[in-house]
Amino acid sequence: MSIVISGTTGINTVSENIITSIAEEVTLVALPQMINEIDGAVSTVMADIVTGRVLQVVSTLTSAQINQAANATDAQLGGLTHTITPLGNNSKFLVTVRWFGEAASGWDICFNIHQDGVRVNSAGGRGTGLYMPTLSYFNDNNSTPEIANFSTLVNTSSTIGTPITYTAVVDANGSLSIWTNRTFGTPAGALESGTSEIIIMEVAA
């Protein structure tokens, strides 16, 4: 004897195989319908998100002490990169970078941010940037680090579920040495070391 499950009255007929029959009925009929209803509800909620609402915040915090040579071509700054998977379509992304380090001739260096390998909110080439190192005691590279704190709001045509990678980058006039998360002198005692971070906030369009 088979089981008949009604959407309004529940179980109409019961047999010895009630548990097995119910499981089969739910698996073959009810479950796909439930999944479709859930998908529809999620789509409705996402469509109704209020403009300007924060959807998510992600970050990368790094203490890795990295030395690199900066030149006229944009290069990733230390380990400051992060990939975010959008929760909304056409979202805006507020990207914030906090850098601790030291640069030889910091006045010849510019910082920018890339979205999937392309500069954002900074259209120029070498020497055009969102920020540069804040110069400290520039006569002594062994100690007294430079710092940088900068951010920019990026308008995108993001698609839900399609990852976007943001990266802090650096360029320089000539070839200049840069340390991230330490000074040129080996960290010990009076010589400083620290951490750096990239933070990405997705905002509903």
Side-chain angles (χ1 to χ4, degrees):
M1 185 180 299
S2 62
I3 294 292
V4 178
I5 299 179
S6 169
T8 57
T9 61
I11 300 174
N12 294 330
T13 308
V14 180
S15 73
E16 295 176 356
N17 298 321
I18 181 171
I19 296 177
T20 301
S21 298
I22 290 175
E24 290 175 352
E25 195 75 21
V26 169
T27 300
L28 297 177
V29 179
L31 188 56
Q33 181 179 347
M34 290 169 59
I35 291 174
N36 289 335
E37 290 176 353
I38 291 172
D39 286 344
V42 170
S43 298
T44 299
V45 169
M46 294 308 297
D48 290 340
I49 287 177
V50 178
T51 298
R53 179 174 295 177
V54 175
L55 301 182
Q56 61 174 319
V57 179
V58 297
S59 65
T60 291
L61 174 67
T62 175
S63 60
Q65 297 178 354
I66 299 174
N67 180 248
Q68 64 187 107
N71 52 47
T73 302
D74 286 351
Q76 180 176 316
L77 178 62
L80 295 174
T81 186
H82 195 95
T83 298
I84 185 170
T85 301
L87 297 178
N89 293 318
N90 303 313
S91 294
K92 297 180 180 181
F93 294 88
L94 180 62
V95 185
T96 301
V97 174
R98 177 181 62 80
W99 176 76
F100 181 105
E102 191 153 29
S105 302
W107 50 88
D108 278 331
I109 286 175
C110 285
F111 294 143
N112 279 287
I113 292 172
H114 278 191
Q115 176 184 294
D116 293 333
V118 179
R119 279 193 190 186
V120 294
N121 298 345
S122 177
R126 194 316 63 205
T128 301
L130 297 174
Y131 209 75
M132 64 178 293
T134 299
L135 301 180
S136 56
Y137 187 54
F138 61 89
N139 284 329
D140 182 6
N141 284 338
N142 281 328
S143 67
T144 315
E146 275 87 50
I147 58 172
N149 290 279
F150 59 100
S151 60
T152 192
L153 184 64
V154 186
N155 295 308
T156 76
S157 55
S158 67
T159 302
I160 295 174
T162 301
I164 299 174
T165 299
Y166 288 101
T167 304
V169 297
V170 58
D171 73 76
N173 181 24
S175 181
L176 300 177
S177 182
I178 297 177
W179 272 103
T180 293
N181 293 333
R182 58 168 280 185
T183 57
F184 280 81
T186 303
L191 303 182
E192 300 85 0
S193 61
T195 64
S196 299
E197 189 171 18
I198 182 170
I199 304 168
I200 306 167
M201 177 188 296
E202 181 180 4
V203 181

